[in-house]
Amino acid sequence: MRQRVVRVALTAALVAVVLLAGPLALVIRSSLYTAQRDTLERTALAGAVRVSPDFATGDPVELPRPLPGGTLGLYDPKARLRAGSGPADGDVPVRRALGGGLVRSGTGGRIVVTVPVSHAERVIGVVRASSPAGAVRRRVLTAWGVLLGVALLAVLIAVLVARRQARALAAPLEELSEHCRAVAEGDLSRRAASSTVAEIDQVARTHNEMLHSLAELLRRERDFTGNASHQLRTPLAGLQLALEEGLGQGRDSPLRPVVAEALATTRRLHRTVEELLRLSRSRGWAHAAATYVPVRRLVQETVDRWHGPFARDGRRLLSSADDLPADLRVPGAPVSEVLGILLDNARVHGRGSVQVRVRDLGSALALDVSDEGSVGGDRARLFDRGHSGGGAGAGIGLALARDLAVSLGGRLSMTRADPATFMLLLPVDPACGEDPAP
C-alpha cells in the first residue's frame, strides 16, 4: 500500500509538472526573445530620432551606443552603411525596412531589428540594431535550469509528503493485520486499537464487535461441550461399575459374553467422550497429548471390534497391515475414532466387502477404508456438517472425522467414488514411543 500511494503521488506530480512546466518553458523562451527584440527596437528608434535629413550629404550622425556585443548602424536608401557598425551592405532586413515598415528577424545567429527613417513622407534611411542570439539562448537555458530545479524540488516534496501520508495510512492497517494474526493464533482477547483514520477506525470497530461475538459463541460452545461431557461421565461411570459388578457375580451366567461386550462398549464410549472434550479444548494438534500406539495393533483392534456388526449384516471386513514396521505408532484414540466413523459409514451407506488397508509412505501413513458401493450426489459437500449423502443420519460423522484428521495434522479425503474409498493421511514419527496408559 505504501508503494502504491507513493507511485500515485509521484505520477500526479509528474503529470502536473509536465502540464505546467512545458508551456511555462515555451513562455519563458518566447518572452526572453521578445524582450531582446523590444530592447533592440528601442535602441534603433533612439538612433532614428538622431538622424538628420541631410545625413546623405555628409552631415555627421551620432548614434547611441549599441547593446553589449551588438551593432547599431545607419544605412542610406541604397542599403550602404553610412554610420555606426554593422555589415557594409545592408542585408535582407535592411532592404525590407526600406519599404517603409519595421522589421524584426533573425539571421546569421543574430537578432536583427530595422527601423526606417522617414522625411517628407519618404524613406531616407534605415537604422539597423542587432545582438547575438547566443546571449539570449544562454538566458533561456539558465531560466529553464531554474525551472527544472523547481520542478524536481516540487516532485521531491510530493514524494516526501506521499511517503509520510502512506506511513500514516499503512501503519493502522499493519497493526490491524498483526492483530488479526494474533487472533488467528488463538488470542481472542486482543482488540484492534483506534487510529487517526476514520475509515480504518470503522473497520477496527466492526472487527472488534465481530471478534466479541465470535469469542462469546466459542465460549458457549466450549461450555456446552464441557457440561455435556461432565454430565455424561457420571452415568457412564455408574454404568461401568454396574456392568463390572454384574460381570464379576455372574461367572457362570449365559449372559456373561453380552455383559462383557456391553462393558467394552461403555469403556469405548467413555474414551470417545474424553477425546471429544480434549479436542474441543485443544488449540493445536490433538496428537500432542494423545497416547501413541502401534498402528498394526490399532487396526487389528478396530477390525475385531467391527467384525461382529458386519458379520450380522452378512458382510466381510478385511484388513491389510502386515508389511508395516513394528515400531510405527500413531495417536491411538483419535485415529481409532476416525476409523470407527469410516467403518460405520461403510456399514450404513456402503455394500459388499469392506477393506481397511494401511500404507507406509515414508514420512506419512495412509489408511484406506473402501467398500464395493459408490458415492453419489454432491461430492464437494460430502464432509459438510449437517449434510448426509445417503439421506440417513445427521451428517456429523464425516465432518467430525475430518476435524479429527486436521487436529492430527493430517487430511481425510475421498480418493474414489466407485468403489467408495476414503483415505486418512497422517504424518508419522517412527521414533515416538508409546505413552504410559492413564
Side-chain angles (χ1 to χ4, degrees):
M1 177 180 178
R2 295 188 180 187
Q3 295 181 356
R4 183 174 299 178
V5 173
V6 172
R7 285 198 299 267
V8 170
L10 180 59
T11 302
L14 290 177
V15 170
V17 166
V18 170
L19 293 179
L20 295 177
L24 183 59
L26 297 178
V27 170
I28 290 176
R29 181 181 182 277
S30 176
S31 63
L32 289 178
Y33 275 96
T34 300
Q36 185 67 12
R37 292 189 183 98
D38 291 341
T39 303
L40 291 175
E41 182 179 348
R42 287 194 298 270
T43 303
L45 289 174
V49 171
R50 299 185 182 187
V51 176
S52 171
D54 300 328
F55 82 92
T57 60
D59 190 9
V61 178
E62 295 183 1
L63 297 175
R65 180 177 301 178
L67 297 179
T71 62
L72 180 64
L74 175 62
Y75 291 83
D76 60 17
K78 295 182 179 180
R80 291 177 299 183
L81 181 65
R82 301 300 298 270
S85 58
D89 295 326
D91 50 10
V92 175
V94 173
R95 299 181 184 280
R96 289 174 57 189
L98 289 174
L102 186 146
V103 178
R104 294 185 175 196
S105 67
T107 177
R110 303 182 70 85
I111 301 175
V112 179
V113 176
T114 55
V115 177
V117 179
S118 301
H119 180 69
E121 297 184 358
R122 66 186 184 89
V123 178
I124 62 175
V126 173
V127 176
R128 178 184 182 275
S130 69
S131 66
V136 182
R137 189 179 302 112
R138 286 191 294 272
R139 291 200 297 272
V140 170
L141 293 178
T142 301
W144 282 2
V146 174
L147 180 62
L148 179 61
V150 172
L152 293 178
L153 180 61
V155 172
L156 179 60
I157 293 175
V159 171
L160 294 178
V161 172
R163 288 173 61 89
R164 182 175 180 179
Q165 188 65 24
R167 285 195 300 268
L169 291 175
L173 292 177
E174 292 174 352
E175 183 178 355
L176 184 59
S177 175
E178 185 66 24
H179 163 74
C180 293
R181 187 177 298 110
V183 171
E185 293 175 355
D187 187 5
L188 299 182
S189 62
R190 293 284 293 272
R191 293 295 183 269
S194 60
S195 64
T196 58
V197 184
E199 291 78 4
I200 298 179
D201 287 346
Q202 183 178 359
V203 174
R205 286 193 298 269
T206 304
H207 176 79
N208 289 338
E209 293 173 0
M210 177 194 67
L211 188 59
H212 175 74
S213 301
L214 180 61
E216 185 67 18
L217 178 62
L218 290 177
R219 184 190 65 79
R220 291 178 181 177
E221 290 186 353
R222 288 175 179 173
D223 290 347
F224 172 77
T225 303
N227 295 336
S229 301
H230 181 271
Q231 294 302 109
L232 286 174
R233 286 174 179 171
T234 302
L236 283 176
L239 182 59
Q240 289 183 30
L241 291 176
L243 290 175
E244 290 174 354
E245 183 179 356
L247 187 64
Q249 294 179 358
R251 298 182 181 276
D252 299 329
S253 174
L255 297 179
R256 181 180 176 83
V258 179
V259 176
E261 183 177 355
L263 180 60
T265 303
T266 306
R267 289 172 176 170
R268 287 195 300 270
L269 180 59
H270 181 77
R271 289 196 297 269
T272 301
V273 172
E274 293 293 333
E275 181 63 26
L276 292 178
L277 180 60
R278 182 171 58 85
L279 179 62
S280 66
R281 294 175 177 174
S282 175
R283 292 186 179 180
W285 289 3
H287 67 272
T291 301
Y292 279 77
V293 299
V295 65
R296 293 173 59 180
R297 191 183 78 187
L298 175 66
V299 172
Q300 187 61 44
E301 291 177 353
T302 303
V303 171
D304 293 342
R305 186 169 65 250
W306 283 90
H307 178 75
F310 279 100
R312 286 192 293 269
D313 294 340
R315 299 170 62 182
R316 300 177 61 191
L317 177 59
L318 308 174
S319 65
S320 174
D322 296 335
D323 56 345
L324 296 177
D327 59 347
L328 191 58
R329 301 174 183 271
V330 294
V335 176
S336 177
E337 290 296 330
V338 175
L339 289 179
I341 292 173
L342 294 179
L343 289 174
D344 182 67
N345 185 73
R347 186 180 65 86
V348 175
H349 301 288
R351 61 182 178 87
S353 300
V354 179
Q355 183 176 11
V356 179
R357 187 163 65 101
V358 186
R359 294 176 291 146
D360 184 10
L361 304 181
S363 61
L365 189 68
L367 292 88
D368 299 315
V369 177
S370 60
D371 59 68
E372 298 177 0
S374 60
V375 178
D378 189 1
R379 296 177 56 181
R381 298 187 56 197
L382 191 62
F383 294 94
D384 290 349
R385 185 173 295 270
H387 175 74
S388 179
I396 298 178
L398 289 178
L400 175 59
R402 180 196 57 187
D403 293 341
L404 286 170
V406 172
S407 71
L408 296 173
R411 184 175 68 251
L412 178 63
S413 60
M414 185 180 67
T415 56
R416 295 184 64 180
D418 189 8
T421 304
F422 291 86
M423 181 183 68
L424 173 61
L425 189 64
L426 295 174
V428 296
D429 184 5
C432 66
E434 182 179 0
D435 294 338

